[in-house]
PDB file of all heavy atoms in Angstrom:
ATOM      1  N   ASP A 239       5.933   3.752 -37.446  1.00  0.00           N
ATOM      2  CA  ASP A 239       4.733   3.512 -38.220  1.00  0.00           C
ATOM      3  C   ASP A 239       3.785   2.549 -37.520  1.00  0.00           C
ATOM      4  O   ASP A 239       2.568   2.792 -37.539  1.00  0.00           O
ATOM      5  CB  ASP A 239       5.139   3.070 -39.641  1.00  0.00           C
ATOM      6  CG  ASP A 239       5.804   4.113 -40.422  1.00  0.00           C
ATOM      7  OD1 ASP A 239       5.804   5.275 -40.031  1.00  0.00           O
ATOM      8  OD2 ASP A 239       6.474   3.710 -41.493  1.00  0.00           O
ATOM      9  N   THR A 240       4.341   1.532 -37.017  1.00  0.00           N
ATOM     10  CA  THR A 240       3.549   0.605 -36.227  1.00  0.00           C
ATOM     11  C   THR A 240       2.840   1.194 -34.982  1.00  0.00           C
ATOM     12  O   THR A 240       1.597   0.957 -34.773  1.00  0.00           O
ATOM     13  CB  THR A 240       4.350  -0.620 -35.823  1.00  0.00           C
ATOM     14  OG1 THR A 240       4.993  -1.221 -36.987  1.00  0.00           O
ATOM     15  CG2 THR A 240       3.516  -1.740 -35.079  1.00  0.00           C
ATOM     16  N   LEU A 241       3.619   1.953 -34.276  1.00  0.00           N
ATOM     17  CA  LEU A 241       3.061   2.630 -33.128  1.00  0.00           C
ATOM     18  C   LEU A 241       1.944   3.571 -33.550  1.00  0.00           C
ATOM     19  O   LEU A 241       0.802   3.636 -32.877  1.00  0.00           O
ATOM     20  CB  LEU A 241       4.112   3.461 -32.367  1.00  0.00           C
ATOM     21  CG  LEU A 241       3.843   4.182 -31.111  1.00  0.00           C
ATOM     22  CD1 LEU A 241       3.270   3.266 -30.079  1.00  0.00           C
ATOM     23  CD2 LEU A 241       4.979   5.022 -30.626  1.00  0.00           C
ATOM     24  N   HIS A 242       2.147   4.301 -34.528  1.00  0.00           N
ATOM     25  CA  HIS A 242       1.143   5.259 -35.033  1.00  0.00           C
ATOM     26  C   HIS A 242      -0.180   4.466 -35.519  1.00  0.00           C
ATOM     27  O   HIS A 242      -1.252   4.943 -35.216  1.00  0.00           O
ATOM     28  CB  HIS A 242       1.674   6.040 -36.267  1.00  0.00           C
ATOM     29  CG  HIS A 242       0.850   7.247 -36.578  1.00  0.00           C
ATOM     30  ND1 HIS A 242       0.398   8.099 -35.632  1.00  0.00           N
ATOM     31  CD2 HIS A 242       0.332   7.739 -37.755  1.00  0.00           C
ATOM     32  CE1 HIS A 242      -0.291   9.160 -36.241  1.00  0.00           C
ATOM     33  NE2 HIS A 242      -0.345   8.878 -37.568  1.00  0.00           N
ATOM     34  N   ALA A 243      -0.016   3.399 -36.128  1.00  0.00           N
ATOM     35  CA  ALA A 243      -1.143   2.561 -36.550  1.00  0.00           C
ATOM     36  C   ALA A 243      -1.926   1.999 -35.370  1.00  0.00           C
ATOM     37  O   ALA A 243      -3.184   1.966 -35.400  1.00  0.00           O
ATOM     38  CB  ALA A 243      -0.659   1.375 -37.452  1.00  0.00           C
ATOM     39  N   LEU A 244      -1.227   1.628 -34.261  1.00  0.00           N
ATOM     40  CA  LEU A 244      -1.875   1.233 -33.050  1.00  0.00           C
ATOM     41  C   LEU A 244      -2.727   2.370 -32.476  1.00  0.00           C
ATOM     42  O   LEU A 244      -3.880   2.115 -32.026  1.00  0.00           O
ATOM     43  CB  LEU A 244      -0.883   0.730 -32.045  1.00  0.00           C
ATOM     44  CG  LEU A 244      -0.617  -0.756 -31.994  1.00  0.00           C
ATOM     45  CD1 LEU A 244      -0.079  -1.268 -33.324  1.00  0.00           C
ATOM     46  CD2 LEU A 244       0.469  -1.047 -30.927  1.00  0.00           C
ATOM     47  N   GLU A 245      -2.259   3.547 -32.508  1.00  0.00           N
ATOM     48  CA  GLU A 245      -2.919   4.652 -31.888  1.00  0.00           C
ATOM     49  C   GLU A 245      -4.128   5.078 -32.771  1.00  0.00           C
ATOM     50  O   GLU A 245      -5.193   5.494 -32.182  1.00  0.00           O
ATOM     51  CB  GLU A 245      -1.998   5.883 -31.767  1.00  0.00           C
ATOM     52  CG  GLU A 245      -0.912   5.605 -30.676  1.00  0.00           C
ATOM     53  CD  GLU A 245      -0.159   6.888 -30.240  1.00  0.00           C
ATOM     54  OE1 GLU A 245      -0.377   7.868 -30.933  1.00  0.00           O
ATOM     55  OE2 GLU A 245       0.664   6.732 -29.310  1.00  0.00           O
ATOM     56  N   ILE A 246      -3.997   5.018 -34.084  1.00  0.00           N
ATOM     57  CA  ILE A 246      -5.112   5.376 -34.909  1.00  0.00           C
ATOM     58  C   ILE A 246      -6.290   4.367 -34.827  1.00  0.00           C
ATOM     59  O   ILE A 246      -7.455   4.665 -34.689  1.00  0.00           O
ATOM     60  CB  ILE A 246      -4.636   5.427 -36.435  1.00  0.00           C
ATOM     61  CG1 ILE A 246      -3.727   6.587 -36.626  1.00  0.00           C
ATOM     62  CG2 ILE A 246      -5.845   5.622 -37.385  1.00  0.00           C
ATOM     63  CD1 ILE A 246      -3.030   6.674 -37.872  1.00  0.00           C
ATOM     64  N   GLY A 247      -5.933   3.025 -34.757  1.00  0.00           N
ATOM     65  CA  GLY A 247      -6.900   1.975 -34.647  1.00  0.00           C
ATOM     66  C   GLY A 247      -7.624   1.700 -35.997  1.00  0.00           C
ATOM     67  O   GLY A 247      -7.349   2.276 -37.083  1.00  0.00           O
ATOM     68  N   HIS A 248      -8.487   0.632 -35.940  1.00  0.00           N
ATOM     69  CA  HIS A 248      -9.300   0.274 -37.085  1.00  0.00           C
ATOM     70  C   HIS A 248      -8.459  -0.135 -38.329  1.00  0.00           C
ATOM     71  O   HIS A 248      -8.764   0.332 -39.436  1.00  0.00           O
ATOM     72  CB  HIS A 248     -10.292   1.401 -37.397  1.00  0.00           C
ATOM     73  CG  HIS A 248     -11.093   1.851 -36.304  1.00  0.00           C
ATOM     74  ND1 HIS A 248     -12.076   1.118 -35.727  1.00  0.00           N
ATOM     75  CD2 HIS A 248     -11.105   3.076 -35.631  1.00  0.00           C
ATOM     76  CE1 HIS A 248     -12.655   1.735 -34.754  1.00  0.00           C
ATOM     77  NE2 HIS A 248     -12.133   2.924 -34.581  1.00  0.00           N
ATOM     78  N   ASN A 249      -7.420  -0.887 -38.036  1.00  0.00           N
ATOM     79  CA  ASN A 249      -6.641  -1.420 -39.135  1.00  0.00           C
ATOM     80  C   ASN A 249      -5.970  -2.687 -38.675  1.00  0.00           C
ATOM     81  O   ASN A 249      -6.177  -3.118 -37.570  1.00  0.00           O
ATOM     82  CB  ASN A 249      -5.386  -0.477 -39.494  1.00  0.00           C
ATOM     83  CG  ASN A 249      -4.606  -0.041 -38.282  1.00  0.00           C
ATOM     84  OD1 ASN A 249      -3.882  -0.859 -37.811  1.00  0.00           O
ATOM     85  ND2 ASN A 249      -4.726   1.226 -37.916  1.00  0.00           N
ATOM     86  N   ASP A 250      -5.464  -3.498 -39.695  1.00  0.00           N
ATOM     87  CA  ASP A 250      -4.994  -4.912 -39.332  1.00  0.00           C
ATOM     88  C   ASP A 250      -3.837  -4.843 -38.291  1.00  0.00           C
ATOM     89  O   ASP A 250      -3.788  -5.710 -37.394  1.00  0.00           O
ATOM     90  CB  ASP A 250      -4.467  -5.541 -40.571  1.00  0.00           C
ATOM     91  CG  ASP A 250      -5.529  -6.123 -41.494  1.00  0.00           C
ATOM     92  OD1 ASP A 250      -6.748  -5.840 -41.125  1.00  0.00           O
ATOM     93  OD2 ASP A 250      -5.257  -6.834 -42.433  1.00  0.00           O
ATOM     94  N   THR A 251      -3.010  -3.870 -38.311  1.00  0.00           N
ATOM     95  CA  THR A 251      -1.930  -3.762 -37.347  1.00  0.00           C
ATOM     96  C   THR A 251      -2.515  -3.650 -35.911  1.00  0.00           C
ATOM     97  O   THR A 251      -2.075  -4.244 -34.995  1.00  0.00           O
ATOM     98  CB  THR A 251      -0.985  -2.598 -37.712  1.00  0.00           C
ATOM     99  OG1 THR A 251      -0.481  -2.747 -39.006  1.00  0.00           O
ATOM    100  CG2 THR A 251       0.101  -2.499 -36.702  1.00  0.00           C
ATOM    101  N   ALA A 252      -3.531  -2.643 -35.805  1.00  0.00           N
ATOM    102  CA  ALA A 252      -4.129  -2.471 -34.521  1.00  0.00           C
ATOM    103  C   ALA A 252      -4.787  -3.670 -34.063  1.00  0.00           C
ATOM    104  O   ALA A 252      -4.893  -4.023 -32.844  1.00  0.00           O
ATOM    105  CB  ALA A 252      -5.015  -1.293 -34.614  1.00  0.00           C
ATOM    106  N   ASP A 253      -5.496  -4.507 -35.029  1.00  0.00           N
ATOM    107  CA  ASP A 253      -6.173  -5.668 -34.607  1.00  0.00           C
ATOM    108  C   ASP A 253      -5.280  -6.778 -34.179  1.00  0.00           C
ATOM    109  O   ASP A 253      -5.586  -7.565 -33.283  1.00  0.00           O
ATOM    110  CB  ASP A 253      -7.069  -6.126 -35.793  1.00  0.00           C
ATOM    111  CG  ASP A 253      -8.237  -5.189 -36.158  1.00  0.00           C
ATOM    112  OD1 ASP A 253      -8.587  -4.410 -35.264  1.00  0.00           O
ATOM    113  OD2 ASP A 253      -8.811  -5.348 -37.250  1.00  0.00           O
ATOM    114  N   ILE A 254      -4.025  -6.897 -34.835  1.00  0.00           N
ATOM    115  CA  ILE A 254      -3.032  -7.854 -34.314  1.00  0.00           C
ATOM    116  C   ILE A 254      -2.676  -7.454 -32.885  1.00  0.00           C
ATOM    117  O   ILE A 254      -2.548  -8.373 -31.967  1.00  0.00           O
ATOM    118  CB  ILE A 254      -1.938  -7.858 -35.283  1.00  0.00           C
ATOM    119  CG1 ILE A 254      -2.252  -8.423 -36.562  1.00  0.00           C
ATOM    120  CG2 ILE A 254      -0.705  -8.664 -34.627  1.00  0.00           C
ATOM    121  CD1 ILE A 254      -1.134  -8.308 -37.671  1.00  0.00           C
ATOM    122  N   ALA A 255      -2.401  -6.191 -32.657  1.00  0.00           N
ATOM    123  CA  ALA A 255      -2.041  -5.718 -31.350  1.00  0.00           C
ATOM    124  C   ALA A 255      -3.034  -6.105 -30.305  1.00  0.00           C
ATOM    125  O   ALA A 255      -2.803  -6.517 -29.160  1.00  0.00           O
ATOM    126  CB  ALA A 255      -1.687  -4.250 -31.330  1.00  0.00           C
ATOM    127  N   ASP A 256      -4.357  -5.892 -30.679  1.00  0.00           N
ATOM    128  CA  ASP A 256      -5.516  -6.170 -29.777  1.00  0.00           C
ATOM    129  C   ASP A 256      -5.565  -7.659 -29.456  1.00  0.00           C
ATOM    130  O   ASP A 256      -5.704  -8.086 -28.296  1.00  0.00           O
ATOM    131  CB  ASP A 256      -6.792  -5.622 -30.378  1.00  0.00           C
ATOM    132  CG  ASP A 256      -7.921  -5.899 -29.453  1.00  0.00           C
ATOM    133  OD1 ASP A 256      -7.937  -5.327 -28.231  1.00  0.00           O
ATOM    134  OD2 ASP A 256      -8.821  -6.648 -29.791  1.00  0.00           O
ATOM    135  N   LEU A 257      -5.378  -8.535 -30.449  1.00  0.00           N
ATOM    136  CA  LEU A 257      -5.439  -9.947 -30.236  1.00  0.00           C
ATOM    137  C   LEU A 257      -4.347 -10.365 -29.284  1.00  0.00           C
ATOM    138  O   LEU A 257      -4.624 -11.138 -28.303  1.00  0.00           O
ATOM    139  CB  LEU A 257      -5.288 -10.669 -31.562  1.00  0.00           C
ATOM    140  CG  LEU A 257      -6.439 -10.797 -32.541  1.00  0.00           C
ATOM    141  CD1 LEU A 257      -6.047 -11.336 -33.835  1.00  0.00           C
ATOM    142  CD2 LEU A 257      -7.598 -11.587 -31.853  1.00  0.00           C
ATOM    143  N   ILE A 258      -3.066  -9.955 -29.516  1.00  0.00           N
ATOM    144  CA  ILE A 258      -1.870 -10.380 -28.669  1.00  0.00           C
ATOM    145  C   ILE A 258      -2.057  -9.863 -27.330  1.00  0.00           C
ATOM    146  O   ILE A 258      -1.870 -10.523 -26.358  1.00  0.00           O
ATOM    147  CB  ILE A 258      -0.606  -9.909 -29.418  1.00  0.00           C
ATOM    148  CG1 ILE A 258      -0.403 -10.647 -30.771  1.00  0.00           C
ATOM    149  CG2 ILE A 258       0.531 -10.236 -28.468  1.00  0.00           C
ATOM    150  CD1 ILE A 258      -0.362 -12.196 -30.587  1.00  0.00           C
ATOM    151  N   SER A 259      -2.281  -8.453 -27.216  1.00  0.00           N
ATOM    152  CA  SER A 259      -2.323  -7.804 -25.863  1.00  0.00           C
ATOM    153  C   SER A 259      -3.431  -8.427 -25.014  1.00  0.00           C
ATOM    154  O   SER A 259      -3.201  -8.614 -23.798  1.00  0.00           O
ATOM    155  CB  SER A 259      -2.485  -6.329 -26.035  1.00  0.00           C
ATOM    156  OG  SER A 259      -3.685  -6.003 -26.681  1.00  0.00           O
TER     157      SER A 259
END
Side-chain angles (χ1 to χ4, degrees):
D239 291 344
T240 301
L241 179 63
H242 195 48
L244 264 58
E245 293 190 354
I246 293 173
H248 306 293
N249 54 69
D250 281 6
T251 301
D253 289 346
I254 291 173
D256 182 60
L257 283 172
I258 294 299
S259 62

